[in-house]
Amino acid sequence: LGTICENCVAGKYSAEVGANSIDTCSICSFGRYSSSGSSNCTLCPLGTYNDDESTVAENHDSIDDCLTCPVGYISVASRYTCQQCVSGEYANNFEECAHCEPGRYAPVALTDSCFACDAGKYTSSNRSSSCIACGAGKYSANPNSTSCSNCEPGFYASSTGLSLCTACAKSEIAPNTSSFSCRTCTSPTTTTATGQASCAACTDGFFWNPLKKCDSTPTGGDCCQQCMDGADCDSGSFLS
């Protein structure tokens, strides 16, 4: 009668040719699994692990015995365990702990990508665990910002962490960049509209006199001259 070869059960393997005993079938080591009749064991896929040290074959008889690494962890080469990334990093394809790029952050280790900084915040460095709020007088309009922009003249940001600047109201100005408040025009000067950098108009009953040397005073100084009796001087009138 011919000899019938028996398969090693799933979870075990035998590399020996011509083996004559089931005792040559060994349980797969940690990080590996096998199907029935295997001559070697298969390494668990990336992002998984199996920490059983060859105790029972049932712990190695299926790919389902390879457990998924937690969020923020990567596989080690042996698949015996997973290695934790740190804050400011993310598990890239379960192979490496990659640094968050500028404009992104990870308060704890993440998987696949880092969080984007919200509008009004930024980070300019790699491996950030948090974002920085833009200071007063500055803003960032978009997520993923790596820096903040200065408010333009005529606009202001009164607090930190803002995504846009606010236009100064009529009769108020912000002559400089990065303003966190507006100045009130010196009466009877005013502005022609909101969002202005200088007081270059006059209220009703006054007209703007370019012959008066007042340009050095952003809030208007004595640039406006009272209209003569009977003259029609609407707001915004100029001497022609």
Side-chain angles (χ1 to χ4, degrees):
L1 295 176
T3 301
I4 299 175
C5 295
E6 295 184 25
N7 288 335
C8 294
V9 300
K12 292 187 176 184
Y13 74 101
S14 176
E16 186 176 335
V17 177
N20 58 11
S21 170
I22 197 171
D23 293 335
T24 62
C25 296
S26 301
I27 299 174
C28 294
S29 64
F30 55 77
R32 294 178 179 271
Y33 67 97
S34 72
S35 58
S36 175
S38 295
S39 60
N40 55 62
C41 297
T42 303
L43 186 68
C44 287
L46 274 173
T48 66
Y49 72 101
N50 184 334
D51 59 2
D52 180 75
E53 298 183 354
S54 306
T55 58
V56 290
E58 288 79 4
N59 290 340
H60 300 268
D61 63 0
S62 167
I63 193 172
D64 293 336
D65 292 318
C66 300
L67 307 178
T68 301
C69 293
V71 171
Y73 285 70
I74 61 172
S75 298
V76 298
S78 67
R79 306 294 193 270
Y80 173 69
T81 187
C82 299
Q83 175 186 326
Q84 186 178 18
C85 301
V86 299
S87 60
E89 296 180 342
Y90 67 98
N92 183 24
N93 197 32
F94 296 109
E95 289 186 279
E96 63 170 348
C97 291
H99 293 178
C100 296
E101 299 175 349
R104 306 182 72 85
Y105 73 104
V108 295
L110 301 175
T111 294
D112 294 333
S113 65
C114 298
F115 297 137
C117 290
D118 293 333
K121 297 182 178 182
Y122 77 101
T123 174
S124 59
S125 60
N126 288 305
R127 207 177 182 183
S128 294
S129 59
S130 62
C131 299
I132 304 168
C134 295
K138 297 177 181 290
Y139 73 102
S140 65
N142 301 310
N144 292 328
S145 291
T146 58
S147 63
C148 299
S149 302
N150 296 328
C151 293
E152 295 294 325
F155 293 78
Y156 71 101
S158 60
S159 59
T160 62
L162 296 181
S163 60
L164 53 81
C165 300
T166 303
C168 293
K170 191 172 182 181
S171 291
E172 293 185 347
I173 60 162
N176 304 313
T177 59
S178 305
S179 294
F180 52 85
S181 63
C182 300
R183 305 182 194 178
T184 302
C185 293
T186 302
S187 181
T189 56
T190 185
T191 58
T192 56
T194 60
Q196 299 300 301
S198 63
C199 301
C202 302
T203 58
D204 289 346
F206 291 82
F207 67 95
W208 189 270
N209 186 352
L211 301 180
K212 303 187 75 173
K213 294 182 179 180
C214 56
D215 294 342
S216 61
T217 307
T219 54
D222 57 354
C223 297
C224 292
Q225 187 171 327
Q226 192 165 16
C227 296
M228 294 180 292
D229 292 342
D232 182 14
C233 291
D234 295 329
S235 177
S237 296
F238 286 79
L239 178 67
S240 59

